[in-house]
Amino acid sequence: MAKLLNGIAASGGIVIAPVHLLSYGKPPVKDQKTTDVNHEVERLHDSFRITATELEQIIQQATRNYGKQIKGPLEQQLVILRDWEFPALIGRLIVSQKVTAISAIENGLATTLARIDQTTRTGHRQAIAYQDVAQRLITHLQPQKNEQLDHRAIVVSHEVSPSLVASFNPQLVAGVITDNGGATAHSALLTAELGIPAVVGTKAATQIAKEDMVAIIDGEHGKVIFQPTPQEIDHYQQLAAQYQQQQQSLGAYRDLATVTADGNRVHVAANIALPDELNQLIKSGAEGIGLYRSEFLFLNVDHRVTEDEQVANYKAALLAMPHDRVVIRVQDLGADKQPRFGQERNVKLFSQRGLRWLLKQEPILRTQLRALLRASVYGHLGIMFPFVTTIDEFQRALAILDQERRLLEEQGHAVANNVEVGMMIETPAAVLMADQFAKYADFFSIGSNDLVQYLFAEDRTDSSNQHYVALNPAVLRAIKQVIQAAHAEGKWISLCGEMATLKLAQPLVLAMGIDEFSLPLPAILPLKQRLQNLSVRQLQPLVKQVLMMENDDEVAEVVNKWLRRHQKK
């Protein structure tokens, strides 16, 4: 009998294949006592050594399998394994609690997670990295059944980690289904980057699935069908063929400028976090870089990142997009995101982040601004300050930037004269003062993830949150207000974050007058195609209607109906 589960669409695509069950992510028995702590400490050290070697092999294997380097989250785990702090904590727990290495890892993980502020995306990813490391350590310490995949199948697991995803053989793993997880988890983002169809957060997949049971993944709509009927298999085979044709047709939009059906020019730019992603920009169809997250240059490195090293990174980004604008966000550090070298950690101060934190670490800010200005001669650079909340903060940052420009010119360094300076709109305070900020900023970028979080005082990493919370009229009104404020001063404005990828939000923001969408690389071509089939003029009555609604469910229903009625197939 067919069984349908609804989950979260983490990575698009439709696939039909037998199930392969993994036990990954299921916790072992806690607080197992031992009488031989020395033996358990030795086992722990062996597990750390084996796991580090295994992760190095996974990075190399993933590069061979996927033709690109999958390094970011895995290198973060290598740093954890090689750092003295985590293994030392677990070793102390073995001795003090007289428990096995496995129990000490579980207890040490709980202690570490309690110190991390998981209400931010980086904190959430850091927690996932520790959980992944702990799971791999435990795997090498306890007997495991042979779960090696030797045929093409859909992997079903309680959860998956970034390193587990990276270790998949793309010839054998047809798709991924999990009980837990959200669309913004790093493992989910990695399945999307690697083109593996995935549905996460189904709650009960491992309870229903049996080894070699046939399953269907609908990664477009977040649906999973176990034991489908012959009619369902035929239906989804047709949908899979249509999906493949659609993906192939997207290539026609790669080199085209994005223009709506009624002639409005819109830019579709890329979000970039890792230097390795620069190699994929041309194939992605990106019309520039809308958000280069420079903080990833400073995280998980064991030395102070020099000015020259920064210049080299920013130069590479600018040269990758020689004819388009590249917006590099000044490092969004503080709170849970601290550089490993040269600064005292303070993960409990949630409010100390972004520009507020940088103004208290002025040498760090000045060094980065110098590096950005030195690199500016290699392209069209936009410098963007993160988490700006007051006019005074922004003016202080602009003054420091101007001082560093003058110093560089006095020292004989060339600096481009077309550098744009903008800011993120991420808090209610910035929304309410957008008309004043627009007098000083060259551009705005709406950081929808944080903006939604702070508007509703809600943890955006919690998978139980409403799926369409970004469509709430409060969010839409805030965005419209900011767009109007920017345009009143003749400034351009971009939208980044998860909201920029939502199919139901994109038409509304387009009609409000957004100038640029900034998205992950795999989402760029589908959006370019979608926008060219939309008319800003036809969307105006819809925008007026949804702004008067009371909740996101009403908005989603009305937008869905409008799209079915108007959008070209």
Side-chain angles (χ1 to χ4, degrees), residues 452-468:
V452 171
Q453 174 174 244
Y454 295 130
L455 279 173
F456 293 102
E458 189 171 50
D459 179 2
R460 61 185 168 93
T461 65
D462 185 351
S463 62
S464 67
N465 289 345
Q466 297 180 39
H467 186 58
Y468 288 122

Side-chain angles (χ1 to χ4, degrees), residues 124-403:
H124 184 58
R125 289 176 178 174
Q126 186 181 13
I128 290 174
Y130 274 101
Q131 291 167 338
D132 195 356
V133 166
Q135 183 63 48
R136 288 197 167 274
L137 292 170
I138 290 170
T139 297
H140 295 300
L141 287 166
Q142 64 183 5
Q144 295 284 317
K145 68 176 184 178
N146 182 14
E147 296 183 331
Q148 189 68 31
L149 187 59
D150 58 5
H151 60 282
R152 183 167 172 77
I154 292 172
V155 170
V156 179
S157 182
H158 184 63
E159 61 188 21
V160 295
S161 67
S163 69
L164 183 62
V165 173
S167 70
F168 289 156
N169 183 334
Q171 304 302 317
L172 298 180
V173 176
V176 175
I177 304 169
T178 69
D179 295 334
N180 291 343
T184 59
H186 211 124
S187 53
L189 297 174
L190 197 52
T191 59
E193 182 179 338
L194 299 178
I196 302 173
V199 175
V200 301
T202 63
K203 309 298 183 186
T206 58
Q207 300 173 29
I208 296 170
K210 305 295 182 185
E211 190 72 16
D212 292 328
M213 173 189 288
V214 175
I216 296 174
I217 291 179
D218 182 350
E220 294 296 292
H221 302 97
K223 294 182 179 180
V224 173
I225 303 175
F226 291 108
Q227 290 185 304
T229 64
Q231 293 80 8
E232 287 171 326
I233 291 176
D234 288 343
H235 175 65
Y236 276 95
Q237 283 177 336
Q238 295 175 19
L239 292 180
Q242 293 172 10
Y243 179 81
Q244 286 301 113
Q245 292 175 356
Q246 291 169 358
Q247 293 302 109
Q248 292 172 3
S249 69
L250 289 175
Y253 295 89
R254 182 172 294 118
D255 300 321
L256 296 179
T258 306
V259 181
T260 65
D262 55 344
N264 287 274
R265 178 72 167 98
V266 186
H267 286 82
V268 181
N271 293 343
I272 295 292
L274 302 173
D276 292 332
E277 294 178 272
L278 296 175
N279 299 326
Q280 306 165 47
L281 277 172
I282 301 300
K283 292 191 295 184
S284 74
E287 301 171 276
I289 297 176
L291 173 61
Y292 187 105
R293 297 183 176 94
S294 70
E295 57 268 20
F296 282 87
L297 300 176
F298 303 87
L299 299 173
N300 303 314
V301 292
D302 58 2
H303 68 284
R304 190 187 304 275
V305 182
T306 67
E307 182 178 320
D308 287 342
E309 286 178 297
Q310 293 185 55
V311 171
N313 275 281
Y314 308 147
K315 174 182 175 181
L318 288 160
L319 291 177
M321 291 270 100
H323 306 297
D324 296 292
R325 180 172 50 227
V326 172
V327 175
I328 298 179
R329 181 173 69 187
V330 176
Q331 51 190 297
D332 187 9
L333 292 173
D336 63 301
K337 293 185 289 185
Q338 299 274 355
R340 291 180 56 82
F341 185 85
Q343 291 298 323
E344 182 177 335
R345 292 172 176 268
N346 194 0
V347 299
K348 294 299 183 182
L349 293 179
F350 178 70
S351 63
Q352 298 303 314
R353 59 167 285 197
L355 183 56
R356 186 178 301 168
W357 182 85
L358 284 166
L359 290 171
K360 294 181 179 180
Q361 306 286 341
E362 197 169 301
I364 294 176
L365 174 60
R366 287 183 179 274
T367 298
Q368 183 171 22
L369 293 180
R370 284 176 59 87
L372 286 165
L373 290 171
R374 286 173 57 191
S376 66
V377 295
Y378 296 102
H380 183 181
L381 173 65
I383 297 175
M384 182 161 65
F385 290 102
F387 208 72
V388 182
T389 55
T390 68
I391 299 291
D392 178 64
E393 286 176 350
F394 193 54
Q395 288 180 327
R396 287 173 60 193
L398 292 176
I400 292 171
L401 179 64
D402 188 55
Q403 291 167 13

Side-chain angles (χ1 to χ4, degrees), residues 36-111:
D36 191 348
V37 295
N38 291 332
H39 175 62
E40 291 300 318
V41 169
E42 289 179 6
R43 294 180 67 222
L44 177 68
H45 291 164
D46 287 342
S47 180
F48 267 87
R49 176 179 50 79
I50 293 169
T51 301
T53 301
E54 179 183 57
L55 280 175
E56 290 172 345
Q57 293 171 346
I58 288 173
I59 291 173
Q60 295 172 2
Q61 173 187 321
T63 301
R64 290 193 300 269
N65 286 343
Y66 297 102
K68 62 182 80 171
Q69 293 187 328
I70 311 300
K71 296 170 61 177
L74 305 189
E75 285 187 337
Q76 184 178 10
Q77 293 175 35
L78 280 175
V79 170
I80 293 170
L81 288 164
R82 290 168 176 165
D83 188 20
W84 64 269
E85 190 173 353
F86 193 49
L89 169 64
I90 299 170
R92 290 195 300 270
L93 291 174
I94 291 175
V95 175
S96 63
Q97 298 179 354
K98 292 183 172 55
V99 293
T100 64
I102 292 177
S103 293
I105 290 169
E106 285 288 303
N107 296 339
L109 175 64
T111 299

Side-chain angles (χ1 to χ4, degrees), residues 549-567:
M549 290 182 170
E550 296 181 353
N551 59 63
D552 44 284
D553 288 330
E554 291 178 352
V555 173
E557 181 180 358
V558 169
V559 176
N560 262 319
K561 287 181 178 178
W562 190 96
L563 289 173
R564 285 195 297 266
R565 191 166 62 247
H566 289 82
Q567 196 167 9

